[in-house]
Amino acid sequence: AFLYVGLGGRPGHSVVSGALITRERRRIAEMLRDWPPEAVEGVLDEAFSLWNAQELRSEFRWTWNTRLRTTAGRAFLREGRVELNPILLGRHPEAVRTVVIHEFAHLVAHRMRPREPGHGPAWRALMRAAGLRPRASHTLPVADLRRTRALRG
């Protein structure tokens, strides 16, 4: 299920702010029009059906997180939750389906085989069952999204 977290990154806070968010606002809005919660949920319904794991579907939730920079998405295994990066996926909406399936495959694989590594055999099998290549990371350009950190002296 979709857990509403506004584009500000905090539950119930919908103000989109910051220089990066301001620059990316149009792309994010277009991606969100193409990928409303119902569309993401449809991808999940299809994937869980292919994985024969429909009974797990209601145990997991997802949200957008504008604080993510170069990570397309991330799965929190214990919490059964996925966060997706609206900035990066706004630039590359063609990757939304793959990222959603990739992250939820982590949750399902962990539930099936909790001791197996994150990109282990169970995860790879789920990716193949969904018709995708099991790749551990994306290849989207992210150089301008990297944070620069001041050196402490």
Side-chain angles (χ1 to χ4, degrees):
F2 177 65
L3 171 67
Y4 174 75
V5 174
L7 290 179
R10 295 186 303 273
H13 182 22
S14 62
V15 176
V16 178
S17 61
L20 178 61
I21 300 298
T22 301
R23 281 197 318 270
E24 300 295 328
R25 187 182 308 260
R26 183 184 52 76
R27 288 181 183 163
I28 293 170
E30 288 173 4
M31 183 272 299
L32 292 174
R33 273 195 300 275
D34 293 341
W35 286 99
E38 300 80 24
V40 175
E41 296 288 333
V43 167
L44 292 173
D45 290 341
E46 175 189 348
F48 277 77
S49 178
L50 289 169
W51 298 334
N52 197 27
Q54 296 92 327
E55 73 282 358
L56 298 177
R57 177 70 180 83
S58 64
E59 296 180 28
F60 304 133
R61 58 194 197 284
W62 64 275
T63 189
W64 299 104
N65 182 346
T66 57
R67 291 179 292 169
L68 297 176
R69 290 294 188 107
T70 60
T71 302
R74 62 184 177 182
F76 295 88
L77 303 178
R78 288 189 185 121
E79 297 174 30
R81 180 173 58 90
V82 164
E83 292 182 346
L84 302 171
N85 181 339
I87 298 166
L88 186 56
L89 295 174
R91 291 180 176 187
H92 304 282
E94 72 282 359
V96 172
R97 181 179 183 279
T98 300
V99 172
V100 167
I101 292 170
H102 175 116
E103 298 305 333
F104 276 89
H106 281 299
L107 299 181
V108 174
H110 178 72
R111 190 61 60 88
M112 292 168 42
R113 296 194 183 132
R115 295 179 189 264
E116 204 170 274
H119 295 108
W123 177 84
R124 289 194 303 269
L126 292 171
M127 291 296 287
R128 285 189 198 98
L132 298 172
R133 250 178 83 202
R135 296 181 56 123
S137 60
H138 68 78
T139 57
L140 302 172
V142 296
D144 67 318
L145 294 175
R146 294 193 192 285
R147 295 177 200 254
T148 55
R149 299 187 188 270
L151 295 176
R152 295 180 196 199

